[in-house]
Structures are given as C-alpha cells and as structure tokens.
Amino acid sequence: MSSKPPMRDALVAAAFQLFLERGYEQTTIDDIVALAGVGRRSFFRYFPSKEDVVFPDHERCLADMTAFLASGGDEHEPVGRVCDAARLVLRMYNENPTFSVQRYRLTKKVPGLRAYELSVVWRYERALADYLRGRFAGRPDGTLQADVIAAAVVAAHNNALRSWLRSDGQRDAATEVDHALGYVQSAFGNPPASAAVQVQQQPEDVVVVVSRRDAPLWRVVQEIESALGRD
Amino acid sequence: MSSKPPMRDALVAAAFQLFLERGYEQTTIDDIVALAGVGRRSFFRYFPSKEDVVFPDHERCLADMTAFLASGGDEHEPVGRVCDAARLVLRMYNENPTFSVQRYRLTKKVPGLRAYELSVVWRYERALADYLRGRFAGRPDGTLQADVIAAAVVAAHNNALRSWLRSDGQRDAATEVDHALGYVQSAFGNPPASAAVQVQQQPEDVVVVVSRRDAPLWRVVQEIESALGRD
DNA sequence: CGCCAAGAGGGAACTGAGTCCCCTGAAGTC
DNA sequence: GACTTCAGGGGACTCAGTTCCCTCTTGGCG
C-alpha cells in the first residue's frame, strides 16, 4: 500500500480553493504553491501540468480499469464486461460527490479544462476498445465493432454522469448509469447466450432467416451476415 | 466568396515543412515565421495557437457541417442524416490526401496534437448530437440516444478514416466509411430507399425474412427491426 | 561517532507560447 | 492633400513548464 503524501492533497486543496474563488485561468502556479506553503518546483513533482491538479485521481482510476479488464473474466459477455468497467469510473466520481460537482462546474466553464478532460476520457475509451478488440479478434469487423461499442459505452456513461452532476448529486448515479448502459446493451446485444436462430440457404440467390421474435437483433444480424457470405 | 489570403497558406506550408523535417515540438513559432518571411505577430493573426496550424481547414468544415444539419432536411431519417454529415468530414480529408496522411503521421506521434485533435472531433460530435437531440425531442431517452448515436457515428467514421490514412490513401475512403457507417445504421437506424425484401409475420412468435443475397445488409436489418416490432 | 549515499524539497534561471500595446505603411475616401 | 482604415511588424510582458544545482534530512554502515 502506498503511503499518501499529504503534500499532494494540500496542493489539490489549495488549487481548488483558488480556482473556485478567483477562477482557473486567473490562478497561477505561484499562487497555488504560495497558499500551500511549498516551493513551485514541488508542484510539478506531483502534477505534470496545471490541468492535472484538477483530475488528481483519474490516473489511479484508469489503472484500476485496465487491471479489471486484464484480470481475465473472459467467461463474461464482452459488452457487459466493458459496461462494468465503465461503472468503475462512476464509482470514483461517487466516492467524493461534492468534489466531483465542483470539478464539473469548473470544467464546464474553462475550455482548456474541457479539452484536457477529453484526453482523459479518450484514454478510458481506448482501454475499453482495446479490450473489445481482443475479445472480437477474428470477427470480420472486429476492430470497427470494438471502437463503436466502446464509444457508445463511454457516451452513455458520460450522459448519465453529467445528468447526475447537473443535479448536484441529488439523483442516484448508479441508477442513471445502469439505465444508460442498458440502452447500449440493447442496441449491441447482451446475448442471453441461447438466441434461437436458424439459417437455411437456398438456391436462387435467396436467403431465408427464421428467427424468434424476441431474439436479440445483433444475433440475427450475425447470422444473416454469415449466411450472406460477407467477408 | 472570401478571397484566400496567401499568407495563411504560406504559414501552413512553412510549418509543415519544419514539422516534418525536425518534429513538431522541436519547431518554434519563430522558426515558422522566419521561414515564411513574416512577423511573429502575423502567425497569431491567422492561427490562435500553434496547434491550429496543423488543422487549418477544420473550422470551415465544422461550419459546413452545422450548416448542412441546420438546412432542414427533416424529411430524411435522422441517423442517415448525421451519417451524411459525417461524410462531409471524410470529403475534406479526401480533398487533399497527401496532406491528410502527413498530418495523420504527425498527430500519431505528438501527444499534444492528439489531444488537440480530440477537441476538434468533440466539436463535430457535439454538432451531430445537438442535431439528433432536436430530432429526438419528446422521445423518452432522446438526449441519451442522441449522444450515443453521435458517438457511434463518429467512432465508426474515425475507424474507417484511420484505416484509410494508414493505407497512405491507397484504399477507397468512401467505401470504407460507407461500410463502417452501415454498421452503425444496422445497430441504431431505420434507413431509406430500396431493396428487395419481403417480410411475413406468422403466429407462434416467429418471423421469416426472405432476402436476396446481394441485398444491402442495413436494409435487411431495417425490415427485421420493424418485423420484430422494435420501436 | 563520523561518513556517506539517497532522496525530498527548494530556488533561480531559462525556453517558448500566447498577449498587449503601439508603430509603420499602404491603400482607399472625401 | 488630409483622414481613416487596416494588414502587418516590433518588442516587451506573463506564465507554464524545464533544467540545473543547492540544502536538509534520513538512515545505513564503517
């Protein structure tokens, strides 16, 4: 277990105090280190850039997510797995709601912080997409499907997250995210593994597909694709 | 028609020459303006930041996209509409393939440029999502669906775009993008136009779809979706 | 006890992006 | 011909981020 450096927390606290009372761009690194009572050099020891102090826990969360995805679990369904990985991010936000809401207000106002947040979110999305690419290896459009599903999961997660943040943490974050991710799973298939689909090929350039009405759409599409003989 | 300032183009040319021969971070603004034979102040007249010179045409393209989406077209199906909007971006890349490939190599290497590109892509995604939010107004999960579909369209577009850029522009960009967007439409869409598909509903919770083998997949999916009674 | 190695923290100078203010000169316009 | 206007330039300034080197502690070991 790594011991928590109090200096790092002191810098975050000092930074947010100044950001909130005078604005992000109006606060210099020197202001922060002066308030924290440390040297300017020490700031950059803990945070590689000024933006990083606004997202002090994302590095750890990203490591958690990659560890979660790397830790096997290949018996689970891939889309559900990345949805669970996305829930890890929500959990981090939920651990410190007031801080998350303050940061949300900040990033909403400052374009530079919005841009930085995008690069953070992008790394999460890459982690999910890379995992799905591994699981989809061999499928015809494996990387395409992996990228699209990862983007959809992140978008759904962020939609719910932001709606929760806008409510000042009043509503239930987990419920909102579950609902949003449910939409993605319904679109890309949370297969109940059974999926009763029968395919018969007939002559004359015609394909007949017989499907149970409640079969997941993606499963039907998969069968049609192979029946049509697309690469 | 706005007259094209040659100075702007000269700055882009000088910048890329130096970026390619010595690297992005190793090139200062002073190097660029010295090579272009203009004053340092003039650089920032045309480009608000050093990153902007790498994406000189995205501002115009984003304006084109918002104009396209704002210009009615509400008789068209929403998902197909945003797919067409995404194709505008591809068209811009395709207008200058060698430049696009050079820029791709650059952004792939320089983290700062990758981050900046994300903020550019994000603005496209917001434009698509805002349009869809308008079209989906009133639906239960309208904004959720809009955000997710916009993200999926952008991800599919970028997947195909990058695969084309990696091939040095050898493969056909339009074909790749059409295929990628077709996947998204098959997951979310109910698209337009013709295809020889017959649908018969039978009792007993079963659907039979008869399709010509060369029918476009998205069209088949559309018929299945409506046959299955999905909203 | 003295010595040394290592590492946390600090200070000062430097680079380079981006901003501000004001100057110059070359058009038009009346 | 005086006046405005505006693209362009020059130079000083701020601030983020880097580099180099210093100090102080800590702790191990002879």
Side-chain angles (χ1 to χ4, degrees), chain B residues 7 38-39 41-42 45-46:
Chain B
M7 188 164 167
V38 303
R41 187 71 175 68
S42 299
R45 265 186 235 287
Y46 289 97

Side-chain angles (χ1 to χ4, degrees), chain B residues 187-203:
Chain B
F188 294 106
N190 16 334
S194 63
V197 178
Q198 300 171 9
V199 177
Q200 300 174 357
Q201 290 206 196
Q202 298 187 340

Side-chain angles (χ1 to χ4, degrees), chain A residues 54-113:
Chain A
V54 181
F55 305 91
D57 37 13
H58 273 75
E59 210 62 36
R60 178 187 56 77
C61 186
L62 184 66
D64 289 352
M65 177 185 282
T66 51
F68 172 77
L69 291 174
S71 68
D74 285 7
E75 66 276 9
H76 299 89
E77 190 270 328
V79 178
R81 188 87 176 147
V82 296
C83 286
D84 286 343
R87 280 181 247 260
L88 290 179
V89 179
L90 180 81
R91 194 160 58 80
M92 180 200 63
Y93 275 81
N94 218 351
E95 278 171 2
N96 212 336
T98 62
F99 178 75
S100 298
V101 171
Q102 285 178 345
R103 171 167 58 191
Y104 171 69
R105 301 231 181 88
L106 215 51
T107 56
K108 201 171 52 177
K109 292 199 195 311
V110 183
L113 288 180

Side-chain angles (χ1 to χ4, degrees), chain A residues 77 79 148-149 152 183-190 218, chain B residues 148 152 183 187-188:
Chain A
E77 190 270 328
V79 178
V148 170
I149 292 173
Y183 171 64
V184 173
Q185 286 194 310
S186 78
F188 292 108
N190 190 4
W218 71 270
Chain B
V148 169
Y183 171 63
F188 294 106

